[in-house]
Amino acid sequence: MDWPTVADLVDRQPWYKNRGIVLLNLCLALAVLTSYTNGFDGSMISGLQLVDQWQEYFNNPSGSSLGLVTSVQNIGALVALPFAPLVSDGFGRRKGLFLGSILMLAGVGLQTQSTSIVQFILSRGLIGFGLCFAINAAPLLITELAYPTHRGPITAMYNSSWYLGSIVAAWVTFGTFRMTNTTWSWRIPSILQALPSILQATLVWFIPESPRFLVAKGRDREAIQVLARYHGNGNVDHPLVHFEYNEIKEALAMEKELPQTSYLALFATKGNLRRMRVIIALGFFSQWSGNGLVSYYINLILESVGVTEAGVKTLINACLQLFNFIMAIGAALLVDKAGRRTLFLISNVGMVIAFAMWTVTSALFQETGSKAAGNATIGLIFLYFGFYDIAYSPLLVAYTVEILPFTIRAKGFAVMNFTVSIALIFNQYVNPVALEKLKWKYYLFYCAWLAFELVFIYMYLWETKGRTLEQTAALFDGEGESDRLREVGAEAAAHRGSSLVSPTMTDHTLNYHIEKEGRNHFEMHPVAEEYDWRDDREHYGHDYNGTRHRKF
């Protein structure tokens, strides 16, 4: 039989003409704010150190105190890391996001009214602790809830929005540092940091829970309602709803065959070993590709090529952040067209070339004092980050969460975040020492490392575009598992609901149809075996409020 694919079932008209998708994307925007919050926090704490009133109020912190101000947020996140997946898996993605928002609000409140550097440091640790819960839950909710054709771009936009938060915080601190003789010059940015968390804590209960989580908890009726409202434009009998629901059920049934779902399960099968090999590598690559040199020590990098004026350095940094945001968002929109593997290969090849040229021009300036070489280095920094932003900004999170099966998705994502944190610690403590001792010669290490990254990506990173979330996750277990899921979903859609499972059933047998939804239950009736999905294209070419849709 000619089975339909998910591409045959999605709405092909512009997304803004489909009410269900519009509402869904507005809901997902609330989760995207988590990455914005992370970017705002990181940029704000750097900006506050440039505010004289902040320095004076806390008696010019230096040494270990200043080091804790910048690193304690990461320490707080590391403390929460083992527990965040337990909340996301046990209580739901929404509750994980809510808990993280509440904890961050508490931290921001403590930070805003701080009267000592100890209190300020403690508040930073609490913010990091809460941020970890939100960061673990938000991308899972996005990737598990998004419309099939929007999943890749929206999940990629999640991590890219970090730059937007960073840009806003930079301009906020730039404006408030002009307020003299008042502590509001640093308290106002702290207050504004609370706005995204207030929105999330207030509005999270108005957005749907992940249908994957609902099915995993036996709440099938609620999962079907979510899929129907946001993916089927209000119709429980839409073929896409049947396709996704049955594929979710089958994927979860397959995952239950695994012996365990603890952290040890991440390394218990060949498929999971393949996944973790890539995920751990991407975590290190995202921070050890040379980008950490500029992200944390742009002052040293620019001074090493003759840029010493504070105003010029600030302008270059501001322009770089805006450039990064534009490049990352542009790449996020291409993930389903160009493909993940293609973007990673272009990114890594470009970084190898750009960083090698950056090394040469830095060496020329430091050895000969060539002003032209110094100016070229600045341009090459932008070129390098342009290639970095093609893949690592949008796809670090998106690729990680989509290749993990539901039962280990939160834990596997936590491992990736742990890997990033370890890499960040290296950047914070090793890079400045190496730059001071070796100068441009230290760049040679990154040239060799970038070449290794390219080889690794070419050998081990697989293409995932054109697949549903369940098919993508199963790909690493072998094509047979992915094909099995595709067939289950296709059969359900082909019979237009004849395979939709009763919420009261205990297995995933595919032989019942939900005729209508009662107030408290679904009425189940068998459907004729001879049904053919192709005969019904005219039917589901319409909305269920009578609006004409483009035919497939």
Side-chain angles (χ1 to χ4, degrees), residues 119-396:
Q119 187 177 357
F120 192 88
I121 289 172
L122 290 174
S123 72
R124 300 289 306 148
L126 182 56
I127 290 172
F129 186 80
L131 184 62
C132 183
F133 287 94
I135 284 178
N136 185 265
L140 305 186
L141 182 63
I142 292 170
T143 200
E144 292 171 4
L145 187 58
Y147 196 72
T149 53
H150 292 189
R151 176 176 57 82
I154 292 180
T155 311
M157 286 182 187
Y158 167 82
N159 207 45
S160 303
S161 65
W162 187 97
Y163 287 118
L164 181 59
S166 176
I167 293 167
V168 172
W171 283 105
V172 167
T173 53
F174 178 76
T176 60
F177 94 93
R178 299 171 184 272
M179 302 170 63
T180 58
N181 301 320
T182 175
T183 60
W184 287 109
S185 59
W186 62 267
R187 295 188 196 274
I188 287 177
S190 293
I191 293 174
L192 293 177
Q193 184 182 1
L195 181 58
S197 295
I198 292 174
L199 291 174
Q200 289 182 323
T202 305
L203 301 178
V204 70
W205 306 114
F206 296 94
I207 67 175
E209 180 57 89
S210 159
R212 275 82 179 174
F213 171 80
L214 293 173
V215 173
K217 295 300 181 180
R219 296 158 61 182
D220 295 48
R221 180 186 293 106
E222 296 175 58
I224 293 168
Q225 291 172 336
V226 170
L227 291 172
R229 181 177 184 184
Y230 297 101
H231 291 195
N233 209 8
N235 174 40
V236 73
D237 201 31
H238 195 289
L240 180 60
V241 176
H242 293 273
F243 187 105
E244 292 186 283
Y245 173 71
N246 281 275
E247 195 172 66
I248 293 169
K249 289 288 288 185
E250 181 68 17
L252 290 174
M254 290 163 56
E255 291 172 28
K256 286 181 180 178
E257 298 172 5
L258 296 175
Q260 55 187 343
T261 57
S262 66
Y263 279 98
L264 294 177
L266 297 174
F267 308 95
T269 68
K270 288 184 178 180
N272 286 349
L273 286 173
R274 295 188 191 104
R275 294 181 181 97
M276 298 313 299
R277 175 176 60 193
V278 173
I279 288 170
I280 293 173
L282 290 181
F284 282 115
F285 293 174
S286 70
Q287 303 302 321
W288 284 2
S289 296
N291 55 306
L293 296 172
V294 175
S295 298
Y296 294 93
Y297 302 102
I298 189 170
N299 183 57
L300 296 177
I301 297 298
L302 293 178
E303 287 187 351
S304 72
V305 292
V307 180
T308 56
E309 187 178 339
V312 176
K313 287 189 286 189
T314 302
L315 178 62
I316 291 173
N317 186 45
C319 291
L320 181 60
Q321 295 304 312
L322 182 59
F323 174 76
N324 284 334
F325 176 67
I326 294 172
M327 288 296 298
I329 291 296
L333 297 174
L334 294 175
V335 295
D336 282 340
K337 295 180 180 178
R340 283 71 157 162
R341 177 177 168 83
T342 300
L343 291 178
F344 269 110
L345 288 174
I346 292 173
S347 175
N348 281 89
V349 169
M351 285 194 296
V352 168
I353 296 172
F355 201 90
M357 296 170 65
W358 175 358
T359 302
V360 171
T361 55
S362 295
L364 286 173
F365 178 84
Q366 293 178 27
E367 297 297 329
T368 67
S370 170
K371 185 173 293 187
N375 292 334
T377 300
I378 297 173
L380 288 169
I381 290 174
F382 277 79
L383 179 63
Y384 163 82
F385 269 97
F387 283 113
Y388 178 91
D389 292 328
I390 287 176
Y392 287 91
S393 291
L395 287 174
L396 172 63

Side-chain angles (χ1 to χ4, degrees), residues 418-439:
F418 176 76
T419 305
V420 169
S421 296
I422 296 300
L424 284 173
I425 292 172
F426 177 92
N427 285 343
Q428 291 169 348
Y429 293 100
V430 176
N431 280 344
V433 175
L435 282 171
E436 182 180 356
K437 297 291 185 181
L438 301 176
K439 299 188 183 304

